[in-house]
Amino acid sequence: MQLCRERPGPRQRLVATLIFIGLLASGLAVATASPVAAAPGDGLAQSSKARYVVDVKAREVRASIDLTITNQQPDQGNSRYYFNAYSIYIPAKATKVRASSNGVTLPVSVEPVPDDLGSFAKVRFSGLYYGQTRTIRWGYTMPAAPIRSKKSNVRVGDGYAVFGTVGVGDDSTVEVVGPPAMELEASDGAFIRKETGKSVTWTASNIEFAGISLRDPEKHIERTVSIGGAEVVIQAFPGDEEWLDFAERNIAEAVPVLERIVGEKWPGELDVIREDTSSEATGYAWFDSGEREIVVSERLDAPTLYHELTHAWIDHDTTDERWINEGLTEVIAVRVARETGVKHEPRKAPRRKGSAAFPLTEWGFFGQATRRQDDYGYAAAYTAVTAMLEDLDEKQFTAFVRDLYLGRTAYDGPEEAGYQGGGAVWGTFLDLAVKHGADPNIDRELKTWALNRGQTKQLAAAKKAKAAYDVIDEADGEWLPPKGLREAMAYWKFEDAATIRDLAGKAAEEAGKFQSTAEKAGLPASTAMRAAYESANVASEYGDVATALAKAAEVTTSVGEASAAVAGFHGPVTEVGELLLRLDTRAADARSDLDAGRVEQAAATTAAHTARSKWVLVAGIAAWLALISGAYGLFRLVRRIGVRVRSRRRVRKERREPHRDSETVEKAEVEIPA
């Protein structure tokens, strides 16, 4: 599941307030006896049992909290310490707020929290001295506000409900009671489900605050949209056609832009995009590849929707580090918002030296980090990734993101598929960014935002290893260094890289010589020999390929000479001799064998070619003599045939002449008069 912290809205501000203020409200009313003295520490033990009952028909949640407090602050000298007031946090629009203790109703005053959708409800009572205990029963009602209301964060409707729960003290229990068809999501705590007749009770212990979302998965309205040629269902709360319109419109606008920015078509693996109050309760939206769904809140928040759509490409398979995952996804979402004309306020850079700061490589995934850490992590990750990639133009940025998505590293060739199923870490992210045009000094951003002290030390080792790698890369000419070395560098295994460099140094030298030899011979370097060198991955292969390259260089020279010799035959005699001895065919066979890595066969073919080429003049003369002799014989034959033909014609003519004379005589005799 890919969970993402949503941008702070009214409900998220409530969550933050409760986390940061939380139980501090419980100690606001501490007083001292004469002489006046401040109580050291809290000095108050607190335990509670809270119960929240969801009434869908009435569209409200009824809360009751039994709170027990005990004064554990001993008296000191002439000072006696006592408590005479207590406060709890409640929603700003809560009604029927009440409190009682020992059967006596206590007056309640409500004080709004600035810039928040909550208030503090406060009661006063007679002094609670050291060792004394008091139980206060609180009650209030949370009426539901309409979807997307900015005045209240409570929602209760047909098939859904969202609200906040509070657990007070080290020993606290929270119960949520709702319809049996509903499912519960919570921002904190492990809630255990138990059916109780016509309702269900979920119970969790020892939580300070939990945003609660109840949802009936059968209650929704939906449409079907096409994303990248695949059909996806969008679902909203009953009656919320506005959200369906929002989702359909923004999906259609965003996906083509995302495909262009990422450089890859929509990858699919998504069946549902739904509106859910779970997102409001937890403060997160998410892309769940297991459930094949995106979940976002009721707010018409296009940038958050863009962010979750981007996770179809940039997810846990793309990178093993959350800060890269979320930071890059947010950078892409901001670009989409800019191109689609959606109003968007990028996350502001947090204070790196603030109390909430930490190295981003230590940011745990959802459930492993506190909400305070997440608030810092999302802002810092966006700031860091933005700074690291700001020098890339659009084409470079797309090439970078595409390589990252495809699992490629800075050391992969253009046709190599990458590590497939692995995940980029900060070192591979840095190398790939620099490869595509980022400032080589962006490691400063890593030091500032992402790395701890131990990781920072690796940057110096990386520069040293890269310089040594460049020596190999220069020695082997246009080819890539062996795969074993490139993989060690890609994953920052610099000790392994040093060992491989020692083994592969001779092979790199021979690779450079081989390419130079091929160029001098007028031939392309062998494709198979290049593949053998670049794919070498174990110790034995480096030595073997060095030997093979040296041999191939010798043969390349011979093949080049043979090919040049063929090209040098220009006279009519030698051209005929070359054709008769099939020297051009044999030279072509030698080049083909060499390109395919059949070095011995290429050598044998070249030797045979060389031996035959000595006879090219003799073969040419013999061929011409044979041709002349044949031509003369043909001439004699044609002449003889011609004589015979003329003789036969004369005989036939002579035979025809007397016949014509007799006819003339007879004709003449008839014509003489008597």
Side-chain angles (χ1 to χ4, degrees):
M1 178 183 291
Q2 185 72 51
L3 292 113
C4 305
R5 188 76 169 91
E6 293 192 320
R7 293 160 186 78
R11 197 153 306 156
Q12 279 65 56
R13 287 200 298 271
L14 164 65
V15 172
T17 300
L18 286 170
I19 291 299
F20 291 118
I21 298 176
L23 299 183
L24 293 180
S26 65
L28 293 179
V30 180
T32 62
S34 180
V36 177
D42 190 315
L44 189 68
Q46 305 160 92
S47 63
S48 64
K49 181 177 181 180
R51 183 177 176 86
Y52 297 84
V53 179
V54 177
D55 190 334
V56 174
K57 186 174 294 186
R59 295 186 179 273
E60 65 183 21
V61 180
R62 295 184 291 274
S64 61
I65 304 173
D66 289 338
L67 171 68
T68 299
I69 55 176
T70 301
N71 186 343
Q72 294 182 331
Q73 179 59 54
D75 298 334
Q76 296 181 6
N78 294 326
S79 297
R80 298 184 67 192
Y81 300 98
Y82 66 93
F83 292 84
N84 64 355
Y86 198 96
S87 299
I88 64 169
Y89 186 94
I90 63 174
K93 296 297 182 180
T95 62
K96 302 177 183 178
V97 182
R98 56 201 181 277
S100 63
S101 180
N102 298 326
V104 177
T105 299
L106 301 177
V108 180
S109 61
V110 178
E111 180 181 349
V113 178
D115 300 321
D116 197 89
L117 294 182
S119 301
F120 284 119
K122 184 176 183 178
V123 295
R124 293 187 176 275
F125 43 82
S126 58
L128 184 69
Y129 289 92
Y130 175 63
Q132 293 181 338
T133 296
R134 177 183 287 274
T135 297
I136 303 172
R137 169 162 288 186
W138 298 85
Y140 57 90
T141 298
M142 295 182 280
I147 290 175
R148 289 181 287 281
S149 170
K150 296 182 179 180
K151 297 181 179 180
S152 172
N153 51 38
V154 180
R155 304 284 185 270
V156 181
D158 185 16
Y160 63 93
V162 63
F163 53 93
T165 63
V166 177
V168 182
D170 296 330
D171 181 16
S172 63
T173 301
V174 173
E175 293 181 347
V176 176
V177 182
M182 287 188 167
E183 299 174 351
L184 182 143
E185 294 278 352
S187 63
D188 191 18
F191 281 80
I192 299 174
R193 185 179 190 275
K194 181 180 179 181
E195 291 195 21
T196 53
K198 295 183 179 180
S199 63
V200 173
T201 300
W202 293 269
T203 305
S205 300
N206 300 323
I207 59 174
E208 294 182 0
F209 171 82
I212 300 297
S213 169
L214 296 178
R215 171 178 172 266
D216 184 344
E218 300 300 322
K219 298 289 184 67
H220 58 254
I221 57 175
E222 64 181 36
R223 294 178 192 168
T224 299
V225 298
S226 177
I227 304 181
E231 289 190 348
V232 176
V233 175
I234 54 176
Q235 297 177 347
F237 300 136
D240 197 359
E241 294 283 349
E242 184 181 7
W243 191 92
L244 288 180
D245 293 339
F246 152 80
E248 184 174 14
R249 180 179 65 256
N250 281 278
I251 290 168
E253 292 177 354
V255 171
V257 179
L258 278 168
E259 289 180 329
R260 178 169 50 77
I261 291 176
V262 177
E264 287 288 315
K265 292 296 184 181
W266 172 257
E269 299 184 5
L270 181 68
D271 296 329
V272 176
I273 299 175
R274 62 182 173 88
E275 173 188 23
D276 192 340
T277 51
S278 299
S279 179
E280 290 291 304
T282 62
Y284 290 86
W286 62 81
F287 186 117
D288 189 338
S289 57
E291 296 294 331
R292 298 173 64 91
E293 68 176 6
I294 285 176
V295 177
V296 293
S297 73
E298 62 183 27
R299 292 182 292 120
L300 307 180
D301 182 358
T304 294
L305 179 59
Y306 298 163
H307 184 107
E308 298 310 323
L309 288 169
T310 305
H311 276 311
W313 290 274
I314 310 301
D315 60 8
H316 300 311
D317 290 333
T318 307
T319 169
D320 289 335
E321 297 194 16
R322 189 180 183 189
W323 74 273
I324 298 175
N325 192 325
E326 296 298 347
L328 180 59
T329 297
E330 183 67 4
V331 167
I332 294 173
V334 168
R335 288 180 174 235
V336 175
R338 188 182 302 126
E339 292 200 28
T340 56
V342 171
K343 184 178 179 181
H344 174 63
E345 294 183 8
R347 300 179 189 271
K348 295 181 180 179
R351 290 180 55 209
R352 181 62 186 93
K353 301 298 183 181
S355 60
F358 59 89
L360 287 172
T361 54
E362 299 177 2
W363 187 19
F365 281 94
F366 183 75
Q368 301 172 339
T370 66
R371 188 173 298 276
R372 191 182 186 197
Q373 289 173 328
D374 280 349
D375 288 339
Y376 173 83
Y378 281 105
Y382 172 73
T383 302
V385 174
T386 298
M388 292 178 71
L389 303 181
E390 63 182 356
D391 290 334
L392 302 185
D393 59 29
E394 290 186 9
K395 185 176 180 180
Q396 291 171 325
F397 183 84
T398 294
F400 165 78
V401 175
R402 183 172 184 269
D403 276 356
L404 196 72
Y405 169 67
L406 294 175
R408 292 174 176 162
T409 74
Y411 297 90
D412 289 327
E415 302 301 323
E416 291 180 318
Y419 42 84
Q420 294 301 323
V425 294
W426 63 268
T428 52
F429 184 86
L430 169 64
D431 290 340
L432 197 60
V434 172
K435 174 186 177 180
H436 285 289
D439 185 343
N441 294 319
I442 59 172
D443 56 1
R444 293 176 300 189
E445 305 297 338
L446 282 174
K447 293 177 184 177
T448 300
W449 298 103
L451 307 184
N452 57 36
R453 290 184 179 180
Q455 293 166 332
T456 299
K457 293 179 180 179
Q458 295 182 46
L459 292 173
K463 289 184 178 181
K464 183 178 179 180
K466 184 66 168 61
Y469 173 87
D470 289 342
V471 173
I472 295 288
D473 196 22
E474 184 176 354
D476 62 17
E478 297 298 320
W479 294 358
L480 294 172
K483 184 176 181 180
L485 176 58
R486 289 183 286 121
E487 285 188 346
M489 291 295 296
Y491 297 104
W492 287 43
K493 299 177 181 179
F494 300 132
E495 291 184 3
D496 293 346
T499 300
I500 295 170
R501 286 197 305 271
D502 293 339
L503 295 171
K506 181 63 175 176
E509 182 181 346
E510 293 295 343
K513 290 180 180 179
F514 176 73
Q515 293 169 69
S516 178
T517 299
E519 183 178 2
K520 291 178 181 178
L523 300 176
S526 167
T527 303
M529 295 308 300
R530 177 174 186 169
Y533 172 77
E534 291 184 345
S535 64
N537 197 28
V538 295
S540 61
E541 292 179 347
Y542 305 127
D544 292 344
V545 77
T547 302
L549 283 167
K551 176 64 176 177
E554 297 176 4
V555 176
T556 296
T557 299
S558 300
V559 173
E561 291 172 350
S563 297
V566 170
F569 296 136
H570 297 300
V573 175
T574 54
E575 287 281 359
V576 172
E578 173 196 335
L579 181 62
L580 184 63
L581 296 174
R582 300 181 61 215
L583 295 182
D584 56 343
T585 301
R586 288 182 176 274
D589 290 344
R591 292 193 298 270
S592 178
D593 289 338
L594 183 61
D595 187 63
R598 298 186 291 269
V599 177
E600 296 297 335
Q601 188 169 336
T605 303
T606 303
H609 173 281
T610 302
R612 287 196 172 204
S613 63
K614 296 177 181 179
W615 297 93
V616 67
L617 182 59
V618 174
I621 293 173
W624 274 108
L625 289 175
L627 182 62
I628 293 171
S629 176
Y632 178 73
L634 180 61
F635 170 76
R636 293 286 304 274
L637 177 62
V638 170
R639 182 178 180 184
R640 186 178 302 166
I641 293 173
V643 170
R644 290 180 179 178
V645 169
R646 287 194 298 273
S647 175
R648 289 177 180 177
R649 287 178 178 174
R650 186 169 56 252
V651 170
R652 286 197 298 268
K653 182 176 181 181
E654 291 175 351
R655 289 177 178 176
R656 286 195 297 269
E657 286 301 326
H659 178 71
R660 293 195 190 100
D661 291 345
S662 62
E663 288 180 352
T664 302
V665 171
E666 292 176 358
K667 185 175 182 181
E669 289 177 350
V670 173
E671 292 177 354
I672 294 175

